[in-house]
Amino acid sequence: MGRRQADGLPAVLQGYEIERILSSPYHRCVQTVEPLAAERHLDLEERTALAEGAPRSEVRSLLAELDGLGAVLCTHGDVVQELLGEGMKKGEARVVVPGSEGVRATAAIPPSD
């Protein structure tokens, strides 16, 4: 996600209740959600469970920890593929609902131009 898209993320997610913002510790992921964290006055939590190559069990544990909370997660394609069973376009965001059967995508937010 480019700087302009990251700066636009707060507007894109304006209608969503967000209680926590978590990111892979990779610099580009952190940069992506920094504007949103600043706008919402929330701490940005870096979590290795969202890093590229993170084991599925760690990601699932993190999702269980977040159950019932409005949270934004910034991660990588391999983690998304593992959780959703499908990839995403660069810069795309997904609204997902975790459940006992896994994670279900409910809406796709296309990358802004």
Side-chain angles (χ1 to χ4, degrees):
M1 184 175 272
R3 173 70 12 210
R4 190 179 67 219
Q5 290 171 311
D7 288 341
L9 197 56
V12 169
L13 297 176
Q14 187 173 15
Y16 292 94
E17 182 179 339
I18 300 170
E19 299 168 72
R20 291 176 67 183
I21 300 173
L22 300 92
S23 174
S24 159
Y26 287 39
H27 187 66
R28 287 296 296 127
C29 247
V30 170
Q31 285 181 316
T32 296
V33 290
E34 281 177 331
L36 180 63
E39 168 101 4
R40 296 288 181 112
H41 305 287
L42 292 170
D43 291 333
L44 197 164
E45 304 172 43
E46 293 182 31
R47 301 294 288 267
T48 57
L50 296 172
E52 193 169 22
R56 183 180 191 163
S57 60
E58 288 184 22
V59 180
R60 293 252 182 229
S61 292
L62 177 59
L63 291 176
E65 174 188 327
L66 298 172
D67 188 29
L69 296 176
V72 169
L73 287 71
C74 187
T75 190
H76 305 275
D78 66 319
V79 177
V80 171
Q81 179 71 38
E82 182 68 31
L83 289 174
L84 297 178
E86 61 185 64
M88 291 172 51
K89 296 176 186 170
K90 282 277 189 198
E92 182 180 34
R94 293 280 178 100
V95 177
V96 299
V97 177
S100 60
E101 300 295 315
V103 178
R104 179 176 51 89
T106 61
I109 302 169
S112 59
D113 293 327

